[in-house]
Every structure is written in structure tokens, then in C-alpha cells.
């Protein structure tokens, strides 16, 4: 038996893993034993990775569309033909409309350097990722206060004394190491408080659970800030040194007493005060998680901002047991990986999504996908005619899939690079099938952390079907498009390119799959913290925001109550599936084949709905049916589903026709987005629910 170090590919967390291989077959798959927090093994989705390998229901050869878009008539072709076809069509689009008319989107993550470089090499600025439907508000919130991105701070669970989860369900929206670290912290006496609209698994493990009215979190948080300041519970010396504009904050929260939001949030004032005092006792070893999937409301940016402000007042930014700053290679005196994107100059053209010129307060990196789609729809500011969805399924991950299909109909070329079927791949002109993560190696990646490291994914087994690794797909396109810099014969050549000057060699990954860049975790001296703002402090009033007409301190506006007889549609994750892309996995479909509609028991009773009944969910004439899960653990104003279900593709027999697709109940959703944080606002939607007729 041979052990191969891999990186799990069943979700974007990318846990370090090891595959045990015998006779060219995987016999065991588990967490990388050299990483203590992976000792509990992979999560259920990670363990189900083996079912992906020989899955006959994934694209098995390159495919070129024969019939109309979405009709499902494909011609199976050779790689040469597929890559020639894509390259020729890209050249034609660029000849007619310029390189900027080519766009590429992906799912973020550590392995995107080569395909981003391909787009840049072509001369297009139009790279976007999924994040407009995920964590953009969190990212922008941290940037607006500290100049740091959301991943520039770590969550130091092992040393935390109080963890608060708001808009974050650690025990079901899983990152294995985070789960492990939080569990150990709880065993060591750390307190857990959860603020949610329903009793998630995390809520059931909390010392304190606050069920708040959906969309009222900002009111809750302003009251927390009020108590911290009025009762002088914040870290005074830290604030004096590191926080700018505290008087402005103090004046702003004057009216936001805990008594004030009780009617808004449903949380009793005394309970809130006790919670804040407890929190202050544990400071600065406190983590109030800023959220992850925060693309929910039109003002979610301010919720995330208020969370970061609370962390700042508690002195948690930069603290051991709080949110210490991560180290990049340069911070520990090492050279980082050589980047493929740096082979090409940054394109000077303005971005089609308007980020960086129409919208100056947004982070340019991954732009905003929904605004790119608007540009495709309107040709404003210019036509975008070719689109590569690289590990991305916007037809499932964004609102209004029918409108998006009409938008994609305006493209001359839609390419999907994917290892499974998805609505977007099904609608594409060309499908380039990627080998599953167990059948491919990836470029080396760097993880910035308290103890930063390089890591690599090795190929565990040979591909079952006629699929290829990313570097082969990108290299094949690059060769045909006049970018030989990205065309390599072997993965070893790529790794050597990346590692040049770092003092690390590909062989160094043999022992553990990783190469640490420091001996031990390194915490910065909290006294010497410098933030990346003009003042070097945490800036409560952001000049960048204000200059762009956006207030730094926004008064609370109550969420719109649901119209009579309707519910706010909310959603989230479960431990058994990843977004929409594991629902057809043979092992996971067996565990959980469909989602259910969480509905408050009293609300259900009023509608004559019993637990397990089939109900009809509708919005603007569109309807689907789903099984009801009747529970006291759901706020009465909302219903909840696990996202990712309601598949319709004939090639997905295990997922087809099971459960409900939340993103189809989001009328006008592509135009509903948070002007300050940029992310779409998926939960500003209401649905009607009634018992289904048989
Ligand atoms: N198993 C599994 N793990 C995953 C993923 C997966 O698909 N499956 N996806 C990964 C990805 S991409 C992401 S972004 C993360 C997401 O990680 P999280 O953001 O933690 O996950 P969610 O379940 O989307 O949402 C968290 C909680 O927010 C609650 N919520 C909804 N509306 C409100 C509200 O108005 N106020 C409050 N206070 N709470 C509200 C939901 O009930 C839910 O329990 O998970 C990652 N991990
Ligand atoms: N209504 C609604 N919308 C949402 C959400 C929600 O909860 N409700 N969640 C939001 C969140 S948090 C996110 S992160 C996005 C997720 O949206 P996406 O990023 O689009 O979702 P995924 O399903 O993770 O991945 C997309 C596709 O990539 C393929 N894929 C997976 N791994 C790989 C890989 O390694 N390489 C390649 N090339 N392809 C791969 C998958 O098979 C899948 O078809 O959706 C967002 N949109
Ligand atoms: S959290 Fe689970 S699915 Fe995601 S990378 Fe880790 S083991 Fe794989
Ligand atoms: Mo996400």
C-alpha cells in the first residue's frame, strides 16, 4: 500500500488529506495524520470523495454542444478538438470585441493562479469569483475598518475563552480543523454563544443561544456596542492606542440601549447585558466570528462591520485567543511562491463590472460577478461575449437562473470547466471535464497562517475517464492562444517554477505533503500592531467609504416584515452536502436525498401543516413542493432550507426532482445587492407556503 498526500476537493475548505492506494485503487481516504486538527478524519463529504471517482454520472470526455443551449445533445470529442474549438472561438471573440470581452469566473481558493494568469495573459481584466454570493460583505467590512482582508486574521480557537457565532454555523457549515479546534476549546472551558434565526446544530451546543428576528442582527450588535461603551467594558488602553474615532462611535450608539432593540430582535435587555459582561470578562481571548455566507440582506455589510468593531473594542484583533494577524511568507523572512499572474502586466482596461472605476470602494481582486452579468446583459460598459465558468455554477449559486440563461444566450461562447455536472455546465457550449481531485495533481499553494506553510496535492490514482488536470487544460489552451509561458510538459516543471528562490524543492513535500515556513506559530506583539489604514489604526470612520457616498455608521433600519401569509425565505448548509455539487454523489445522496422546509410549529399549525407533510412553496407564480420540517426551533417570520437541492438535469438520476431550489425563489435578485458591501442580498425574499394537494 502506498500513501499519497492529497488535498480534499469536496468543498472549498481544502483539508489536508491522505489517500492509501493499492493496485491503482483508493483503499482508504483520511485526514493528513501530520495535522493534529485533522486527526478526527475528514467530514462526511470528504469521506464520500471515493464515490466521485467512478461516478458514471459526471462528464467523462470533452463535450461540444450539438443542439440548442441546455437541450443536452452533446458530441463527445477529443481533447485536441475541444481545446482547438475553444481557442478558435476565443480568438474570434477577441478579434471582434477585444480581449476585454472575455470573462472568467471561479470558486476562489488556493489553486487559481494558472487560470487567472491565462485570462490576464489574454489581456482581459474580467476575472470574477463566486464571492459576491458568499463572503464579499465580510471582506469589505474588514477592509473598511482595518485595511485587512477577512483572511488576514486567524481565528485562534485553541486559546479562545468565548466564541460567538452569528451568521455562522461551525458545526454544520464545516471546516474540519475549525470544528476540531472549537470542540477542544469547549472541552477546555471556552464559552459558546450563538445568534441565529433557528436552532442549528451549533445553537444546540451553545451555552447561550439567542434566536433573533431574521434581519435584526444589526440592532442586536449596536446594543452590544452600547453596553460595551456605556459600561466601560471595552479595552481602554487598546482602544486608545489602536482605535480611531471612538467618540464618534460612542455618540452614534447613544440611542441603541438593550431595551431599545428588544422589540426588534426579540432578545430581552437583561439577557443581552449579561451576555456582554461575560464577553468582556473573557476579552481579549474572544472570537466573535464575522460570518462567512453573508450575502443575505441589503445591509449585511454593516452587520459584519459591527462584528469587527465589537472584536476591536474587546481588543481581540491581534490577540492570542482572538483574531491574531496571520503571517505571510515575507512576515517570517521567507520568499513566497512565484506567481504565474506576475508573468503578465495587469490589464489597463476598466473592468466590465465597474469595480475600481464606477465603484471605487470595492476590492478589485475578484470583482462582483452579478455586475459582470449585468454588463453581459446590457453591453454596458462594453460587450462581454465569451465566458469561462471555471469551477463555478452561477446558475445554481446566483438568483434568477432563468434570467441568467437569457443573459448567457447573448454570449458567443460559454465554457464550463468542471468535474461534475452542473446547471451551468449543462447550458455551456463546451464542457472541459476536469479530473477529480484524487486523479490530478495541483499547483503548489501557500497558506498564510500563524505558522504559514506551502502545501501540494499529489495525484493518487489515474483518471477513470478521459479527463485532465487543471494545468493540462490551462496549458493546452495557453499553447493555442500564444501564451507558451503557461504551457508545461510536466507538473514537476510547474512546481519548480513556483518554488524558484524559496529554498524549497518539490521533494520536500514527500514527508508530509506540506512544508512549514516557520518553526512555530508566531503571534505579533499586540503593542506594535499596525493596521493597513492611512492612520495605521482601526478606523471607525472610513474615508474611502465616505468619499464614495457611503456612511461609516449607519442607523438601524428594521427588516421589512413578511407580507400577510408569507415568510422570509432563508437558507444555509448541512454537514452532508456541499452547495449544489454533492447532491448527486452516490454515498451522500443515500444519506440525504432531499432538503426539507423548516417552518415554525405555530405558523405551521395555523396553516394546517403537520411535520412531514408535503407543502407548496410559491413566489410570483413559480412553485415547487417540498417536505415540511415542523419545529419550535425556527423563527416564525421565516422558513429555511438547505441550499443546493432541486436538481433537474436528466444526467443526475440520484438528485433529479428531489427537494427545492432556493435560488429560483428570488425574483429580481440579481439587482438586489448591498451597495456598501457589494454582495447580493439573497434573503430579501418572501414566499407563500401552503399544504400541497396530493
Ligand atoms: N457541510 C458544508 N460545509 C460548508 C459548505 C457546504 O456547502 N457544506 N460550504 C462552505 C461555504 S462556501 C461557506 S460560505 C460556509 C458557510 O458557512 P456559514 O455561513 O456558517 O453557513 P450557513 O449555513 O450558510 O449560515 C450560517 C447560519 O446563518 C443562519 N442565518 C440565516 N439568516 C440569519 C439571520 O438573519 N441572522 C442570523 N443571526 N443568522 C442567520 C442560518 O440559519 C445558518 O445556521 O460553509 C462552508 N462549509
Ligand atoms: N440561493 C443561494 N445561493 C447561494 C448560496 C445559498 O446558500 N443559497 N450559497 C452561496 C455560497 S456561500 C457560495 S460559496 C456559492 C457557491 O457557488 P459555486 O461556487 O458555484 O458552487 P460549488 O457547488 O461549490 O462549485 C461550482 C461547480 O464547481 C465544480 N467543482 C467543484 N470542485 C471543483 C474543482 O476542484 N475544480 C473544478 N474545475 N470544478 C469544481 C462543482 O462540481 C460545481 O459544479 O453559492 C452562493 N449562492
Ligand atoms: S471540510 Fe470536508 S469536504 Fe471540505 S475539504 Fe474538509 S474534508 Fe473535504
Ligand atoms: Mo461560500
Amino acid at each position: 500500500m502506498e500513501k499519497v498526500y492529497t488535498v480534499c476537493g469536496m468543498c472549498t475548505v481544502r483539508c489536508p488529506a491522505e489517500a492509501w492506494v493499492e493496485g491503482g485503487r483508493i483503499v482508504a481516504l483520511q485526514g493528513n495524520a501530520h495535522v493534529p486538527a485533522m486527526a478526527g478524519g475528514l467530514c462526511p463529504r470528504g469521506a464520500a470523495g471515493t464515490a466521485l471517482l467512478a461516478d458514471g454520472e459526471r462528464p467523462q470526455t470533452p463535450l461540444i454542444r450539438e443542439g440548442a443551449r441546455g437541450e443536452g445533445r452533446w458530441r463527445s470529442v477529443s481533447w485536441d478538438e475541444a481545446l482547438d474549438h475553444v481557442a478558435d472561438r476565443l480568438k474570434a471573440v477577441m478579434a471582434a470585441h477585444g480581449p476585454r470581452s472575455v470573462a472568467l469566473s471561479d470558486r476562489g481558493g488556493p489553486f487559481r493562479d494558472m487560470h487567472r494568469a491565462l485570462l490576464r495573459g489574454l489581456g482581459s481584466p474580467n476575472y470574477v469569483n463566486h464571492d459576491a454570493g458568499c463572503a464579499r460583505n465580510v471582506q469589505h467590512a474588514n477592509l473598511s475598518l482595518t485595511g485587512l482582508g477577512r483572511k488576514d486574521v486567524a481565528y485562534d480557537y485553541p486559546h479562545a475563552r468565548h466564541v460567538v457565532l452569528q451568521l455562522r454555523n461551525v458545526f454544520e457549515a464545516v471546516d474540519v480543523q475549525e470544528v476540531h479546534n472549537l470542540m477542544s476549546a469547549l472541552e477546555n472551558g471556552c464559552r459558546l454563544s450563538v445568534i441565529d434565526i433557528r436552532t442549528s446544530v451549533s445553537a444546540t451546543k451553545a451555552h447561550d443561544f439567542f434566536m433573533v428576528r431574521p434581519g435584526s442582527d444589526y440592532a442586536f450588535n449596536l446594543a452590544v456596542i452600547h453596553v460595551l461603551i456605556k459600561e466601560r467594558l471595552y479595552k481602554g488602553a487598546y482602544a486608545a492606542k489602536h482605535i480611531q474615532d471612538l467618540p464618534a462611535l460612542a455618540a452614534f450608539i447613544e440611542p441603541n440601549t438593550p431595551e431599545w432593540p428588544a422589540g426588534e430582535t426579540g432578545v430581552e435587555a437583561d439577557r443581552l447585558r449579561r451576555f456582554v459582561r461575560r464577553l468582556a470578562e473573557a476579552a481579549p481571548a474572544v472570537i466573535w466570528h464575522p460570518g462567512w455566507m453573508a450575502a443575505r440582506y441589503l445591509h449585511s455589510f454593516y452587520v459584519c462591520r459591527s462584528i469587527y468593531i465589537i472584536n476591536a473594542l474587546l481588543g481581540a484583533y491581534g490577540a492570542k485567543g482572538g483574531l491574531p494577524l496571520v503571517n505571510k511568507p515575507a512576515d517570517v523572512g521567507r520568499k513566497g511562491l512565484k506567481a504565474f499572474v506576475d508573468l503578465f502586466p495587469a490589464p489597463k482596461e476598466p473592468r466590465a463590472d465597474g469595480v475600481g472605476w464606477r465603484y471605487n470602494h470595492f476590492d478589485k481582486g475578484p470583482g462582483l460577478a452579478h455586475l459582470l452579468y449585468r454588463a453581459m446583459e446590457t453591453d454596458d460598459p462594453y460587450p462581454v461575449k465569451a465566458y469561462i465558468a471555471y469551477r463555478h455554477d452561477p446558475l445554481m449559486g446566483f438568483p434568477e437562473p432563468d434570467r441568467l440563461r437569457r443573459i448567457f444566450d447573448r454570449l458567443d461562447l460559454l465554457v464550463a470547466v468542471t468535474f461534475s455536472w452542473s446547471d451551468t455546465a449543462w447550458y455551456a457550449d463546451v464542457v472541459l471535464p476536469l479530473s477529480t481531485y484524487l486523479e490530478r495533481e495541483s499547483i503548489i499553494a501557500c497558506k498564510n497562517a500563524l505558522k504559514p506553510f506551502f502545501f501540494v496535492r499529489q495525484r493518487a490514482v489515474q483518471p477513470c475517464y478521459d479527463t485532465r488536470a487543471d494545468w493540462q487544460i490551462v496549458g493546452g489552451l495557453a499553447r493555442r492562444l500564444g501564451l507558451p509561458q503557461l504551457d508545461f510538459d510536466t507538473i514537476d516543471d510547474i512546481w519548480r517554477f513556483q518554488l524558484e528562490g524559496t529554498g524549497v524543492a518539490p521533494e520536500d513535500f514527500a514527508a508530509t505533503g506540506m512544508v512549514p515556513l516557520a518553526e512555530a506559530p508566531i503571534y505579533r506583539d499586540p503593542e506594535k500592531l499596525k493596521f493597513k489604514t492611512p492612520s495605521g489604526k482601526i478606523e471607525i470612520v472610513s474615508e474611502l467609504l465616505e468619499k464614495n457616498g457611503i456612511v461609516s455608521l449607519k442607523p438601524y433600519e428594521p427588516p421589512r416584515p413578511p407580507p400577510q401569509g408569507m415568510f422570509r425565505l432563508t437558507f444555509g448548509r448541512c454537514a452532508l452536502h456541499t452547495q449544489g455539487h454533492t447532491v448527486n454523489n452516490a454515498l451522500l445522496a443515500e444519506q440525504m436525498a432531499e432538503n426539507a422546509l423548516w417552518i415554525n410549529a405555530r405558523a405551521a399549525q395555523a396553516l394546517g401543516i403537520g411535520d412531514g407533510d408535503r407543502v407548496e412553496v410559491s413566489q410570483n407564480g413559480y412553485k415547487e413542493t417540498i417536505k415540511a420540517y415542523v419545529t419550535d426551533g425556527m423563527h416564525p417570520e421565516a422558513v429555511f432550507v438547505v441550499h443546493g437541492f432541486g436538481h433537474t438535469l436528466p444526467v443526475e438520476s440520484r438528485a433529479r426532482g428531489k427537494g427545492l431550489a432556493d435560488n429560483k425563489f428570488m425574483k429580481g435578485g440579481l439587482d438586489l445587492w448591498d451597495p456598501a458591501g457589494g454582495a447580493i442580498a439573497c434573503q430579501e425574499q418572501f414566499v407563500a407556503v401552503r399544504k400541497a394537494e396530493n
Side-chain angles (χ1 to χ4, degrees), residues 136-138 140-141 298 301-302 361-362 368 550 673-679:
R136 270 298 88 183
N137 288 330
V138 189
H140 284 135
L298 286 165
F301 168 78
Y302 289 99
H361 57 296
F362 295 136
L368 292 169
I550 290 166
W673 53 283
D674 183 328

Side-chain angles (χ1 to χ4, degrees), residues 367-388:
L368 292 169
H370 54 103
L371 298 181
L372 171 72
Y373 302 142
R374 282 285 291 158
M376 286 178 185
E377 186 174 42
T378 58
D379 291 344
D380 171 24
Y382 51 76
V384 174
K385 290 293 180 191
Y387 175 30
I388 304 174

Side-chain angles (χ1 to χ4, degrees), residues 144-158:
S144 74
L145 283 159
T146 60
L148 300 170
R150 75 184 177 100
K151 290 184 181 162
D152 289 332
V153 293
Y155 305 125
D156 192 13
Y157 293 103

Side-chain angles (χ1 to χ4, degrees), residues 1-249:
M1 245 190 340
E2 187 202 357
K3 176 164 67 172
V4 182
Y5 289 110
T6 178
V7 176
C8 181
M10 293 298 283
C11 89
T12 215
V13 170
R14 306 271 179 240
C15 292
E18 52 190 54
W20 291 84
V21 182
E22 195 171 345
R25 299 193 47 198
I26 309 265
V27 289
L29 194 56
Q30 61 188 49
N32 183 325
H34 299 280
V35 181
M38 290 303 302
L42 302 172
C43 81
R45 300 164 296 147
T50 47
L52 188 61
L53 273 175
D55 190 346
E57 297 198 343
R58 64 178 167 96
Q60 300 170 17
T61 66
L63 298 167
I64 294 181
R65 178 168 64 84
E66 289 261 272
R69 279 198 174 117
E71 196 188 317
R73 283 203 292 131
W74 300 99
R75 186 157 56 91
S76 171
V77 298
S78 68
W79 274 99
D80 274 336
E81 184 175 347
L83 295 173
D84 284 345
H85 181 89
V86 172
D88 289 347
R89 301 278 291 275
L90 284 175
K91 283 183 200 160
V93 166
M94 290 192 290
H97 305 282
R100 67 184 186 178
S101 62
V102 179
L104 182 148
S105 69
D106 70 12
R107 179 67 171 71
F111 300 124
R112 60 206 171 120
D113 187 16
M114 278 191 99
H115 59 253
R116 283 189 68 190
L118 176 76
L119 186 73
R120 192 187 263 204
L122 294 178
S124 172
N126 292 316
Y127 164 74
V128 299
N129 73 11
H130 74 293
D131 211 35
C134 181
R136 270 298 88 183
N137 288 330
V138 189
Q139 170 75 0
H140 284 135
N142 202 12
L143 280 174
S144 74
L145 283 159
T146 60
L148 300 170
R150 75 184 177 100
K151 290 184 181 162
D152 289 332
V153 293
Y155 305 125
D156 192 13
Y157 293 103
H159 303 104
R161 295 180 54 215
H162 195 150
V163 171
V164 184
L165 301 178
Q166 181 178 33
L167 287 162
R168 179 78 187 93
N169 180 8
V170 166
F171 292 117
E172 288 173 282
V174 172
D175 167 331
V176 170
Q177 297 189 58
E178 198 175 22
V179 171
H180 180 100
N181 287 335
L182 180 53
M183 291 281 260
S184 324
L186 295 181
E187 277 159 21
N188 291 331
C190 172
R191 231 184 132 76
L192 177 65
S193 300
V194 171
I195 304 157
D196 205 307
I197 56 168
R198 61 177 189 117
T199 46
S200 65
V201 170
S202 301
T204 64
K205 295 193 185 304
H207 298 89
D208 244 334
F209 168 48
F210 299 97
M211 190 190 283
V212 292
R213 180 173 172 225
S216 72
D217 294 83
Y218 190 47
F220 184 96
N221 295 3
L222 291 181
V224 169
I225 297 175
H226 180 100
V227 177
L228 283 174
I229 293 182
K230 289 290 170 181
E231 296 192 13
R232 297 211 154 264
L233 294 170
Y234 65 97
K235 292 276 177 219
Y238 179 97
K241 194 162 179 110
H242 295 306
I243 305 181
Q244 183 164 288
D245 318 308
L246 197 57
L249 181 65

Side-chain angles (χ1 to χ4, degrees), residues 618-642:
S618 62
Q619 186 197 57
N620 295 296
Y622 180 76
K623 33 181 143 132
E624 290 189 26
T625 59
I626 179 173
K627 207 164 62 185
Y629 169 55
V630 174
T631 169
D632 287 329
M634 181 73 223
H635 194 280
E637 273 189 18
V639 287
F640 172 92
V641 290
V642 170

